[in-house]
Amino acid sequence: MSRKTKKPKARGGHLKAVPSAPKLPLQLVLNHRSVDSLTPDFVHWFEKFGDTPDALQALEVVKLFMTTSHAVSDQSSATRIDPDTLEDAAFALVGVLDEPDMDDALGEVYDYLHLYVDFLSETGRWSGSEEEYSIVHSFLTEELADDGPDFPPLDLPELSGEEQDQGFRELPVLELASRLLEWLGEGKDVTSTRALRLKDVEGAAAAVGVKARGKKNGKQPLVPLFDSEEYAQSQSETFEVRSMHDVPVLREIWAALVDSRILSVGSTRAVPGAGAESWHSRDLESRLQIRREFLVVFLASAVMNSGSMFQEGSDQLLATVLIKGSTAEPMGVEELSKSADLGAGDDIFLAFSARRTRTQLAKLAELGLLQVDTHYTVSPVVIQCVPPALALVLALEDFEPPSHDPSDSQPAPNHR
């Protein structure tokens, strides 16, 4: 999963172009040319969101935004957006577009800018400061949160910055992520598929607590890791794998580091990304913010990648458990177990979904994201990350919000 915004929906045609000015300022002309030069790389990067025409449309919107930004402030840049003029420039752009729904048009502009800003950051082209990126990114994603589902009242604890910092330090998943970053050092070479080389798999796996080494004809490890007796019994052995992606916990932590810009993977090398500075920062708020971003994308990936063989896409039952686990009425372990037990007349699809979800919950518990005793309860410091994680899932695909009724554990149909 990568960093992420929804693909803007087609609305019977794309945003209409602003009429061309008789003569553009030289700086603006050069910036337009700079955007044009980024087209091949942007189209390739955009493949996870949509097709080439949509990528090209995104770049056209970016250039239109740059034009209005220049008109507002006499300044523009192909690799930076000024947080102070962002909103004014966006409103100016929408104001000259012939669109029937101005709010919808503004949201679409923000979606395209979000994609472009993330592209700049992930490819190392963002020329503004890390603080400016955080402000711009937060602004562009506010609407995503505002348009998200109405969650039930969360049992959100009031934690000071120091208490959050301590809570994050105690999460195994963040400790493993730190160990992986420490192992990465200044960077490691990657293959043409942007995966670690087989000779480096053993070191990376060891950093996240798994005994595995790369081998061309290796076998995949038992999956899932971290949630079964077989895993514990197998730790005396070393798995031989064909790719780093055959080691689930390594794959998932690696992906979350990439999606939260802490790790940047190019065509030949993986190196610390723009967010790595915040990860190691002595500034408390910067350190807390980057850890929240990591957990948001990690949880979102867990929900999106855990659909059963009978249900394409996201695991709505897992999302339900996470939501309820963040409230005063968490789901009971016995309740989920009853759904997983298949008896006469039971729903076989619900049974498989419950078993799959139970497996995912065991892994999340091992990583410290929730506690399991009589109920599934999200760890206090993690609760704040659940709503934005599920909002991100909703933005990335057509996903029906899970029921708020604690007695209704039946996953809703997936409308894809």
Short mmCIF file of all heavy atoms in Angstrom, two decimals, residues 1 144 296 299-304 314-315 319 387-399:
data_model
loop_
_atom_site.label_atom_id
_atom_site.label_comp_id
_atom_site.label_asym_id
_atom_site.label_seq_id
_atom_site.Cartn_x
_atom_site.Cartn_y
_atom_site.Cartn_z
N MET A 1 0.81 -1.17 0.00
CA MET A 1 0.00 0.00 0.00
C MET A 1 0.84 1.22 0.00
O MET A 1 1.77 1.32 0.68
CB MET A 1 -0.80 -0.06 1.21
CG MET A 1 -1.86 0.90 1.37
SD MET A 1 -2.65 0.73 2.83
CE MET A 1 -2.69 2.31 3.23
N LEU A 144 -10.50 14.61 3.48
CA LEU A 144 -10.66 13.16 3.51
C LEU A 144 -11.26 12.73 4.85
O LEU A 144 -12.19 11.94 4.91
CB LEU A 144 -9.32 12.49 3.30
CG LEU A 144 -9.25 10.97 3.43
CD1 LEU A 144 -10.10 10.32 2.37
CD2 LEU A 144 -7.82 10.49 3.35
N VAL A 296 -1.18 4.60 11.09
CA VAL A 296 -2.38 4.76 10.26
C VAL A 296 -2.27 3.90 9.00
O VAL A 296 -3.18 3.15 8.66
CB VAL A 296 -2.58 6.25 9.88
CG1 VAL A 296 -3.58 6.38 8.72
CG2 VAL A 296 -3.09 7.03 11.08
N LEU A 299 -2.30 0.05 9.90
CA LEU A 299 -3.64 -0.46 10.19
C LEU A 299 -4.49 -0.51 8.92
O LEU A 299 -5.23 -1.47 8.69
CB LEU A 299 -4.32 0.41 11.24
CG LEU A 299 -3.79 0.29 12.67
CD1 LEU A 299 -4.40 1.38 13.54
CD2 LEU A 299 -4.10 -1.09 13.25
N ALA A 300 -4.38 0.52 8.10
CA ALA A 300 -5.14 0.53 6.85
C ALA A 300 -4.75 -0.64 5.96
O ALA A 300 -5.60 -1.30 5.36
CB ALA A 300 -4.93 1.85 6.11
N SER A 301 -3.46 -0.92 5.89
CA SER A 301 -2.99 -2.05 5.08
C SER A 301 -3.50 -3.37 5.64
O SER A 301 -3.85 -4.28 4.89
CB SER A 301 -1.46 -2.07 5.04
OG SER A 301 -0.96 -0.95 4.35
N ALA A 302 -3.54 -3.49 6.97
CA ALA A 302 -4.03 -4.72 7.58
C ALA A 302 -5.48 -4.97 7.20
O ALA A 302 -5.87 -6.10 6.89
CB ALA A 302 -3.89 -4.64 9.10
N VAL A 303 -6.28 -3.91 7.19
CA VAL A 303 -7.69 -4.05 6.82
C VAL A 303 -7.85 -4.33 5.33
O VAL A 303 -8.64 -5.18 4.91
CB VAL A 303 -8.48 -2.79 7.21
CG1 VAL A 303 -9.91 -2.85 6.67
CG2 VAL A 303 -8.51 -2.63 8.72
N MET A 304 -7.06 -3.67 4.51
CA MET A 304 -7.21 -3.80 3.06
C MET A 304 -6.68 -5.11 2.53
O MET A 304 -7.19 -5.64 1.53
CB MET A 304 -6.49 -2.65 2.36
CG MET A 304 -7.11 -1.30 2.61
SD MET A 304 -6.34 -0.02 1.62
CE MET A 304 -6.86 -0.51 -0.02
N SER A 314 -11.36 -5.31 1.18
CA SER A 314 -11.13 -5.09 2.60
C SER A 314 -11.90 -6.05 3.48
O SER A 314 -12.94 -6.58 3.12
CB SER A 314 -11.51 -3.66 2.96
OG SER A 314 -10.81 -2.75 2.15
N ASP A 315 -11.36 -6.24 4.69
CA ASP A 315 -11.99 -7.09 5.68
C ASP A 315 -12.84 -6.20 6.59
O ASP A 315 -12.35 -5.55 7.51
CB ASP A 315 -10.91 -7.81 6.50
CG ASP A 315 -11.50 -8.83 7.46
OD1 ASP A 315 -12.67 -8.69 7.83
OD2 ASP A 315 -10.78 -9.76 7.85
N ALA A 319 -12.35 -4.40 10.45
CA ALA A 319 -12.60 -2.98 10.69
C ALA A 319 -13.59 -2.80 11.83
O ALA A 319 -13.44 -1.91 12.68
CB ALA A 319 -13.12 -2.31 9.42
N PRO A 387 -9.58 5.87 13.45
CA PRO A 387 -10.44 6.59 12.50
C PRO A 387 -9.74 7.01 11.21
O PRO A 387 -10.27 6.75 10.12
CB PRO A 387 -10.93 7.79 13.33
CG PRO A 387 -10.87 7.33 14.74
CD PRO A 387 -9.63 6.46 14.79
N PRO A 388 -8.55 7.65 11.27
CA PRO A 388 -7.92 8.01 10.00
C PRO A 388 -7.50 6.81 9.16
O PRO A 388 -7.50 6.87 7.93
CB PRO A 388 -6.70 8.84 10.42
CG PRO A 388 -6.46 8.51 11.85
CD PRO A 388 -7.79 8.18 12.42
N ALA A 389 -7.17 5.69 9.81
CA ALA A 389 -6.81 4.49 9.05
C ALA A 389 -8.00 3.97 8.27
O ALA A 389 -7.90 3.64 7.08
CB ALA A 389 -6.28 3.41 9.99
N LEU A 390 -9.16 3.90 8.91
CA LEU A 390 -10.35 3.39 8.23
C LEU A 390 -10.88 4.40 7.23
O LEU A 390 -11.43 4.02 6.19
CB LEU A 390 -11.42 3.03 9.26
CG LEU A 390 -11.02 1.91 10.23
CD1 LEU A 390 -12.18 1.55 11.15
CD2 LEU A 390 -10.54 0.67 9.48
N ALA A 391 -10.71 5.70 7.50
CA ALA A 391 -11.07 6.71 6.51
C ALA A 391 -10.21 6.57 5.26
O ALA A 391 -10.68 6.76 4.14
CB ALA A 391 -10.93 8.11 7.11
N LEU A 392 -8.95 6.23 5.46
CA LEU A 392 -8.05 6.01 4.33
C LEU A 392 -8.50 4.81 3.50
O LEU A 392 -8.50 4.85 2.28
CB LEU A 392 -6.63 5.79 4.84
CG LEU A 392 -5.54 5.55 3.80
CD1 LEU A 392 -5.45 6.72 2.83
CD2 LEU A 392 -4.19 5.33 4.48
N VAL A 393 -8.92 3.74 4.18
CA VAL A 393 -9.43 2.57 3.48
C VAL A 393 -10.65 2.95 2.65
O VAL A 393 -10.79 2.57 1.48
CB VAL A 393 -9.79 1.45 4.47
CG1 VAL A 393 -10.47 0.29 3.74
CG2 VAL A 393 -8.54 0.95 5.17
N LEU A 394 -11.56 3.70 3.26
CA LEU A 394 -12.77 4.11 2.55
C LEU A 394 -12.45 4.95 1.32
O LEU A 394 -13.14 4.88 0.31
CB LEU A 394 -13.67 4.91 3.50
CG LEU A 394 -14.40 4.09 4.57
CD1 LEU A 394 -14.91 5.00 5.67
CD2 LEU A 394 -15.54 3.32 3.96
N ALA A 395 -11.41 5.76 1.42
CA ALA A 395 -11.04 6.60 0.30
C ALA A 395 -10.40 5.81 -0.83
O ALA A 395 -10.48 6.19 -1.99
CB ALA A 395 -10.08 7.70 0.77
N LEU A 396 -9.75 4.71 -0.49
CA LEU A 396 -9.00 3.96 -1.48
C LEU A 396 -9.85 2.96 -2.25
O LEU A 396 -9.47 2.51 -3.32
CB LEU A 396 -7.83 3.23 -0.81
CG LEU A 396 -6.69 4.16 -0.38
CD1 LEU A 396 -5.70 3.40 0.49
CD2 LEU A 396 -5.98 4.75 -1.58
N GLU A 397 -11.00 2.61 -1.70
CA GLU A 397 -11.86 1.70 -2.44
C GLU A 397 -13.28 1.82 -1.94
O GLU A 397 -13.54 2.41 -0.89
CB GLU A 397 -11.40 0.25 -2.29
CG GLU A 397 -11.36 -0.26 -0.87
CD GLU A 397 -10.93 -1.72 -0.81
OE1 GLU A 397 -9.96 -2.08 -1.49
OE2 GLU A 397 -11.58 -2.46 -0.09
N ASP A 398 -14.21 1.31 -2.70
CA ASP A 398 -15.61 1.37 -2.31
C ASP A 398 -15.84 0.38 -1.19
O ASP A 398 -16.01 -0.81 -1.42
CB ASP A 398 -16.51 1.03 -3.50
CG ASP A 398 -16.41 2.08 -4.59
OD1 ASP A 398 -16.16 3.25 -4.26
OD2 ASP A 398 -16.60 1.72 -5.76
N PHE A 399 -15.89 0.90 0.01
CA PHE A 399 -15.93 0.06 1.20
C PHE A 399 -17.06 0.55 2.08
O PHE A 399 -17.10 1.71 2.47
CB PHE A 399 -14.59 0.19 1.94
CG PHE A 399 -14.51 -0.55 3.24
CD1 PHE A 399 -14.19 -1.89 3.26
CD2 PHE A 399 -14.72 0.11 4.44
CE1 PHE A 399 -14.08 -2.56 4.46
CE2 PHE A 399 -14.62 -0.56 5.64
CZ PHE A 399 -14.30 -1.89 5.66
#
